[in-house]
Amino acid sequence: MLKNYMEDMVNNALPKILDQHEDMCRCAQCMADVKAMALNNLKPLYFASNKGGVYNKLKELEIQFSADIAREITKAIEIVSNNPYHD
Ligand SMILES: [Zn+2]
């Protein structure tokens, strides 16, 4: 099974970053826009299996990428909150 773990990392990091953006709209549309925008600017991280050492490797990579992930989510939140697709 092929999975993009960068998606999980963005999902994990998102609530913490949203805490710093209290005025951000939390509706499903805006959340999906933020995630899509952040993921388009981050490298995909595909693994074909979640067996064995993959979990430890992912934890390492999450630490390694955490600054990039936080930066891209923050950028996406700013863009989406300035241009929401709804009123
Ligand atoms: Zn919204």
Side-chain angles (χ1 to χ4, degrees):
M1 187 185 115
L2 205 61
K3 186 171 161 59
N4 179 8
Y5 282 93
M6 189 54 86
E7 224 175 300
D8 286 9
M9 292 182 189
V10 166
N11 282 331
N12 289 344
L14 188 60
K16 272 179 280 176
I17 296 166
L18 277 173
D19 282 351
Q20 298 155 23
H21 295 82
E22 303 235 305
D23 50 345
M24 175 70 199
C25 173
R26 259 75 163 170
C27 81
Q29 178 67 61
C30 289
M31 291 296 93
D33 286 341
V34 166
K35 280 183 211 173
M37 208 175 284
L39 283 166
N40 281 337
N41 290 322
L42 289 160
K43 269 198 303 187
L45 198 60
Y46 283 105
F47 280 89
S49 150
N50 55 9
K51 283 189 295 192
V54 171
Y55 182 79
N56 287 336
K57 183 71 188 160
L58 284 171
K59 282 283 136 202
E60 244 172 66
L61 289 170
E62 190 162 14
I63 293 162
Q64 192 182 314
F65 290 135
S66 62
D68 291 343
I69 292 168
R71 191 189 59 229
E72 293 305 332
I73 293 174
T74 302
K75 238 198 307 185
I77 284 174
E78 280 162 11
I79 293 167
V80 172
S81 57
N82 288 329
N83 307 279
Y85 288 127
H86 60 71
D87 296 326

